[in-house]
Amino acid sequence: MRDPAGEIGWVVTVGQPTLEPLSPGVTRVLEDEKDKEEKSPLVMEAIHLDEKPPSNAENSFKKHESNKKGALTDIEKLYQAVPQLANVFRIKGKIGEGTFSSVYLAIGHLRGGREEKVALKHLIPTSHPVRIAAELQCLIIAGGQDNVMGVKYCFRKNDHVVIVMPYLEHESFSDILDSLSFEEVRNYMFNLLRALKRIHHFGIVHRDVKPSNFLYNRQLQQYALVDFGLAQGTPETKVELLKIIPSETQQRSSAYHKSPLTMGSQVTSPTSRQLVHQSATKTANKRLSSISQTQIKQGHKRKEDPDCHCVQRSVFGEKNFNVRSSAFQGRSTVKQPRIMDIPVRKLSVKKKATSVVNNGLGKKAASSTQAHLTCDCYAKDSVCTICLSRRQQVAPRAGTPGFRAPEVLTKCPNQTTAIDMWSAGIIFLSLLSGRYPFYKASDDLTALAQIMTIRGSRETIQAAKTFGKSILCSKEIPAQDLKKLCERLRGKTTNFDNSAGDVQMHPSQEFPLTVGIGNVSDSAFHASKKHIQYQKQSTHEDGGKEKKTLQKSSDPKGWDRVPNSAYDLLDKLLDLSPATRMTAKEALLHPFFRNVKQ
Amino acid sequence: GSADQKVKSKLKNPFLKVEDRRCRYRPFYLQLSSFPVVNYSNPRPCSPFDVEKKNAHGQKHIHNKQRNPTNSDREKRPNQVPPKHKRRKGYCECCMKKYEDLHAHIESEQHQKFAKSSQYQVVDDIISKFSCDFLELRENTPNVKRRKCNV
């Protein structure tokens, strides 16, 4: 009965499902990258694409058969590390493992006696308490609504912290990608954007938006954005603890522990670390009291979901496993929650980004003590000892390479919620093209090169200027038409359409059966007809009619009638310039979502 | 800097070079054997940037685990995640220190001291606000008798 393999009906989907057999955790990869940079400053060798891309957080687990024994040992270890767990949960198995956490499926009994599945996220014991607290705060403040995962409870023993979350059985993105109908894709994106709107509203930059962090239950049509382990706060974030994690440490990578030489008179002021390690707790405590009030208010305000699969926010007055007497503390202080009273400032990424970028640059230039020797390598195809002797710029880059926005890849120090929108665009790109992962890169610049291949080199270079970066590319690559790109990658025209030009199928390549119905049937000799259809559709996109036309469609999955608005939205999410990139709020109002059922 | 000390090297095509427009930081760059291209002939759902791997059978080997897409198959899937290789190097945010072996570091005196310190008050303060709606299982009879949690 302890054998978990037979019992669990779900698997945490992985970030890079094509990885096999072992994907290095982020730490290792970053270490490797660092080694490369440090050991061979002059020549950074081409990185082969067959290197496994790193994956993050709880999702980078390797999907192997076997090793139940090992997993069981992990479960035993977890019981040992946090003994309170044994009093409440039966841990069924490990369902995810990443660099910073492992996730287990467990069953507990609700007061009514009903069994409930939960996900137990065991954080790596090297996590700083403030970071742990910040993750909890994200879940408490933003979670539990609008497709953002919430938290039910939390256990701690010494450095071991386990977050209890509602369990959402979900699909593996790559498994279902092929079989999704166009309407499902629309709903998926709508719900993802709802989650992003919610967290951005609270000034949370997720930093690791990707399918494996957006749980999707196809049958129940339930969605949950998970994992705030890499989250960062915007300057006006409502998650107070995010403010006291300096952004540099956010990445948890070797990047901020570079040799003193590269660290130099870095952005990382000595005080920022001090802050975390010395005064953080104090500050946090002060701030926490107001947060907890927020919690109370929200707990009451929130519509109770009859289906308690949905997140339950804590409501005071119940037993607490960790703290005997303090469960009620703070209750008497329930008054107007300070944070919630602050009118929600609009997260106008557009305006902010530009000014912030400039400010940031100015500040750093001023604070820089190092004399900048000039050389003539700038914007030229050369590097020299002078420019290479400069310190490296440190910018947050936590996340997964294929989902990182251009400003992240180019180490722009000021990153906004717009980076999450880019990632959402990458997911959308996967959905529309039927390709996942879409970008396959093990390092930032390879990812950037791949982006340029899609979005154009000139366009990328132009956009980078707006955030203070010069990109030099040895090759000029034109931007792709997103619609053509996606349709072609989706396979609409493969083999069945000679007009598609140079589409070549490997002779021995079996035509993917799964593409089947959806794509073969809508083969493209109707290309011109379809074009007319798009136009028709877009002129009267009111619900009923649209539904009718969908039913008449030759492709039951609706892939022969992807409206142009889809590619327009995609284009706006994959805006190379963060300042003009569409926000979640704007995206939800995009014509693509007209009549989406909510 | 004097000119004679300066060593300059030319980047090999194709390359990508990124630098801060104010030239205050070290440029970073990538030299590739070939610039990425969109490979339309990769089978779905493979990345269009997936590189083909030569395969003994002359077949394109773009590894792609086609896993069972249907719900009915899901039970059969392996659900277990194999453990990571024991030695995991990384950085401890608590001790502000790199480690070569996660387990060894966690057991170290320095880390243990931190682990038992009051630094976690910030976490406990949040935890104290939670309520638990789960029952406590009685030891050894986890399935049958239970009482309200009261730890």
Side-chain angles (χ1 to χ4, degrees):
Chain A
M1 213 52 226
R2 261 286 156 96
D3 176 2
E7 278 196 21
I8 311 161
W10 80 318
V11 172
V12 163
T13 50
V14 255
Q16 309 285 354
T18 52
L19 299 193
E20 58 181 17
L22 288 179
S23 65
V26 125
T27 313
R28 202 178 115 205
V29 170
L30 293 176
E31 289 289 335
D32 291 345
E33 279 182 28
K34 183 193 165 209
D35 287 346
K36 246 171 242 152
E37 283 168 31
E38 283 182 352
K39 281 174 193 157
S40 53
L42 267 169
V43 181
M44 191 171 158
E45 290 301 327
I47 289 155
H48 296 293
L49 284 170
D50 57 357
E51 268 186 39
K52 311 301 178 210
S55 37
N56 246 322
E58 70 251 43
N59 302 303
S60 77
F61 76 98
K62 295 126 278 176
K63 232 172 221 185
H64 275 315
E65 327 285 307
S66 83
N67 240 328
K68 284 169 196 166
K69 208 173 177 187
L72 270 182
T73 317
D74 283 346
I75 294 172
E76 301 305 336
K77 274 192 206 152
L78 180 57
Y79 277 129
Q80 234 171 44
V82 189
Q84 309 98 293
L85 286 173
N87 297 332
V88 189
F89 295 113
R90 275 180 293 142
I91 304 174
K92 309 304 286 186
K94 188 190 266 191
I95 51 177
E97 182 169 314
T99 312
F100 306 124
S101 64
S102 297
V103 182
Y104 298 81
L105 171 62
I107 295 180
H109 291 269
L110 291 170
R111 237 170 276 106
R114 197 164 66 83
E115 282 197 345
E116 182 163 292
K117 288 178 182 172
V118 293
L120 302 179
K121 180 174 178 176
H122 179 210
L123 307 178
I124 190 170
T126 55
S127 305
H128 195 276
V130 173
R131 180 188 301 284
I132 298 167
E135 180 169 356
L136 282 167
Q137 244 182 15
C138 286
L139 291 163
I140 290 167
I141 293 176
Q145 275 186 46
D146 291 339
N147 306 322
V148 181
M149 178 56 79
V151 54
K152 296 177 82 73
Y153 200 67
C154 184
F155 293 92
R156 176 178 89 84
K157 191 196 170 195
N158 295 338
D159 51 347
H160 291 276
V161 175
V162 173
I163 302 175
V164 184
M165 290 172 287
Y167 170 92
L168 177 61
E169 188 167 333
H170 60 280
E171 324 287 335
S172 146
F173 190 77
S174 53
D175 282 355
I176 58 163
L177 182 57
D178 244 349
S179 65
L180 288 173
S181 72
F182 173 67
E183 192 56 22
E184 284 173 307
V185 164
R186 209 163 70 111
N187 287 324
Y188 182 101
M189 283 308 295
F190 186 81
N191 282 287
L192 172 61
L193 291 164
R194 264 179 67 191
L196 292 179
K197 181 186 167 190
R198 171 129 182 122
I199 64 162
H200 293 169
H201 167 85
F202 289 101
I204 301 169
V205 183
H206 186 283
R207 294 207 68 91
D208 202 17
V209 173
K210 57 181 177 182
S212 50
N213 281 335
F214 187 59
L215 311 184
Y216 172 39
N217 185 312
R218 194 177 183 179
Q219 222 163 12
L220 300 173
Q221 295 211 55
Q222 280 182 10
Y223 309 83
L225 181 65
V226 299
D227 196 356
F228 293 95
L230 295 171
Q232 260 184 310
T234 65
E236 53 278 296
T237 183
K238 296 176 192 72
V239 182
E240 294 290 305
L241 285 169
L242 285 179
K243 288 182 182 168
I244 58 176
I245 305 177
S247 58
E248 287 78 16
T249 66
Q250 211 49 43
Q251 39 192 332
R252 297 174 157 208
S253 72
S254 54
Y256 74 111
H257 309 290
K258 288 263 152 63
S259 63
L261 188 98
T262 50
M263 283 299 277
S265 51
Q266 213 56 256
V267 203
T268 327
S269 63
T271 47
S272 59
R273 281 196 211 166
Q274 249 176 321
L275 182 66
V276 172
H277 297 289
Q278 287 166 20
S279 62
T281 310
K282 232 176 166 181
T283 327
N285 285 343
K286 236 189 283 166
R287 286 169 170 164
L288 273 172
S289 59
S290 56
I291 301 256
S292 59
Q293 290 163 16
T294 307
Q295 206 180 316
I296 297 167
K297 184 168 174 185
Q298 288 197 337
H300 289 304
K301 253 172 89 176
R302 210 168 62 86
K303 272 188 276 174
E304 277 308 315
D305 197 321
D307 180 355
C308 59
H309 248 296
C310 266
V311 181
Q312 279 153 20
R313 207 76 65 68
S314 72
V315 176
F316 288 10
E318 303 298 337
K319 296 280 186 191
N320 182 295
F321 288 102
N322 290 290
V323 186
R324 261 166 229 272
S325 54
S326 60
F328 293 87
Q329 100 186 11
R331 197 181 205 182
S332 53
T333 61
V334 177
K335 53 178 185 182
Q336 284 303 41
R338 201 191 78 218
I339 296 172
M340 293 308 287
D341 283 351
I342 298 170
V344 178
R345 263 180 255 166
K346 278 183 189 157
L347 290 175
S348 171
V349 178
K350 286 189 180 183
K351 280 176 205 158
K352 200 174 53 198
T354 340
S355 63
V356 165
V357 167
N358 294 336
N359 288 346
L361 290 176
K363 219 190 297 168
K364 253 171 277 153
S367 70
S368 162
T369 50
Q370 192 180 328
H372 296 298
L373 299 172
T374 49
C375 65
D376 54 3
C377 294
Y378 180 73
K380 294 212 183 80
D381 62 343
S382 62
V383 286
C384 71
T385 40
I386 292 176
C387 54
L388 289 178
S389 70
R390 295 184 200 131
R391 62 178 191 262
Q392 282 187 42
Q393 184 161 27
V394 174
R397 49 188 285 279
T400 309
F403 293 88
R404 287 183 191 144
E407 66 270 26
V408 179
L409 297 172
T410 56
K411 297 190 184 176
C412 173
N414 299 100
Q415 300 172 15
T416 68
T417 52
I419 69 168
D420 290 340
M421 299 310 294
W422 174 275
S423 306
I426 299 298
I427 296 179
F428 197 22
L429 182 58
S430 270
L431 290 165
L432 291 175
S433 67
R435 306 303 184 124
Y436 179 76
F438 191 89
Y439 291 120
K440 201 161 188 200
S442 52
D443 66 287
D444 284 348
L445 288 186
T446 300
L448 186 64
Q450 292 177 357
I451 288 171
M452 292 168 108
T453 306
I454 302 296
R455 303 299 275 154
S457 55
R458 263 193 315 154
E459 290 81 353
T460 308
I461 290 164
Q462 198 58 38
K465 279 186 192 165
T466 68
F467 50 87
K469 293 292 173 179
S470 153
I471 301 177
L472 190 64
C473 181
S474 59
K475 197 182 170 198
E476 183 163 335
I477 310 140
Q480 302 264 356
D481 178 291
L482 290 173
K483 181 178 177 173
K484 283 181 192 151
L485 174 82
C486 289
E487 287 182 348
R488 208 170 148 191
L489 284 172
R490 181 159 268 285
K492 279 196 142 185
T493 53
T494 38
N495 267 0
F496 297 90
D497 182 26
N498 295 327
S499 70
D502 53 347
V503 179
Q504 298 240 319
M505 300 292 281
H506 194 284
S508 66
Q509 181 194 338
E510 46 180 331
F511 193 80
L513 288 172
T514 36
V515 177
I517 312 156
N519 300 280
V520 179
S521 66
D522 68 9
S523 63
F525 27 48
H526 304 304
S528 53
K529 257 190 208 165
K530 250 177 275 159
H531 183 64
I532 297 161
Q533 267 184 329
Y534 291 145
Q535 289 176 337
K536 247 197 247 164
Q537 191 193 350
S538 53
T539 51
H540 47 204
E541 267 187 330
D542 48 308
K545 274 178 197 165
E546 193 175 15
K547 196 142 198 184
K548 260 184 203 165
T549 32
L550 273 178
Q551 282 160 356
K552 271 190 233 159
S553 152
S554 59
D555 172 11
K557 302 259 183 210
W559 283 105
D560 56 342
R561 9 189 339 97
V562 178
N564 289 329
S565 62
Y567 301 106
D568 182 72
L569 174 62
L570 180 61
D571 181 60
K572 285 167 172 153
L573 293 174
L574 297 182
D575 186 333
L576 294 157
S577 170
T580 49
R581 195 174 302 144
M582 192 167 249
T583 64
K585 200 176 171 184
E586 289 162 355
L588 287 168
L589 300 171
H590 190 276
F592 177 61
F593 296 119
R594 211 172 287 155
N595 302 315
V596 79
K597 51 176 186 223
Q598 292 185 42
Chain B
S2 65
D4 28 301
Q5 282 178 329
K6 190 168 109 179
V7 180
K8 200 167 172 174
S9 71
K10 205 171 149 91
L11 298 176
K12 225 175 65 203
N13 275 9
F15 69 86
L16 205 55
K17 181 185 172 193
V18 176
E19 49 203 326
D20 157 45
R21 293 187 78 206
R22 298 197 181 184
C23 302
R24 285 158 306 137
Y25 301 102
R26 189 206 283 186
F28 55 106
Y29 49 90
L30 171 71
Q31 298 175 94
L32 309 112
S33 46
S34 63
F35 212 82
V37 281
V38 178
N39 189 350
Y40 290 96
S41 60
N42 280 355
R44 286 178 63 186
C46 285
S47 165
F49 297 103
D50 235 328
V51 277
E52 288 178 39
K53 273 176 223 145
K54 12 49 186 111
N55 190 324
H57 328 303
Q59 261 197 335
K60 199 178 298 191
H61 173 63
I62 293 167
H63 52 274
N64 167 47
K65 289 183 283 181
Q66 259 306 344
R67 283 173 299 163
N68 330 310
T70 58
N71 283 339
S72 53
D73 289 330
R74 296 162 100 247
E75 290 82 351
K76 290 174 219 153
R77 278 196 223 156
N79 295 294
Q80 291 310 307
V81 176
K84 284 212 158 156
H85 25 284
K86 286 286 170 274
R87 304 182 105 241
R88 287 164 63 184
K89 60 177 183 174
Y91 177 78
C92 179
E93 296 178 316
C94 307
C95 307
M96 293 187 280
K97 185 174 180 177
K98 275 193 201 171
Y99 54 82
E100 289 300 312
D101 180 331
L102 175 67
H103 186 71
H105 174 75
I106 288 170
E107 300 291 302
S108 74
E109 201 183 324
Q110 186 190 3
H111 186 84
Q112 279 304 308
K113 201 177 158 206
F114 188 95
K116 296 187 168 85
S117 75
S118 60
Q119 295 274 347
Y120 288 88
Q121 189 60 43
V122 62
V123 178
D124 291 343
D125 285 346
I126 295 180
I127 290 178
S128 69
K129 307 290 191 285
F130 282 119
S131 64
C132 181
D133 23 69
F134 290 100
L135 296 172
E136 192 181 351
L137 307 166
R138 191 174 280 171
E139 249 175 88
N140 301 326
T141 54
N143 289 316
V144 201
K145 290 166 192 171
R146 54 190 76 94
R147 57 195 163 90
K148 273 198 166 185
C149 51
N150 185 17
V151 180

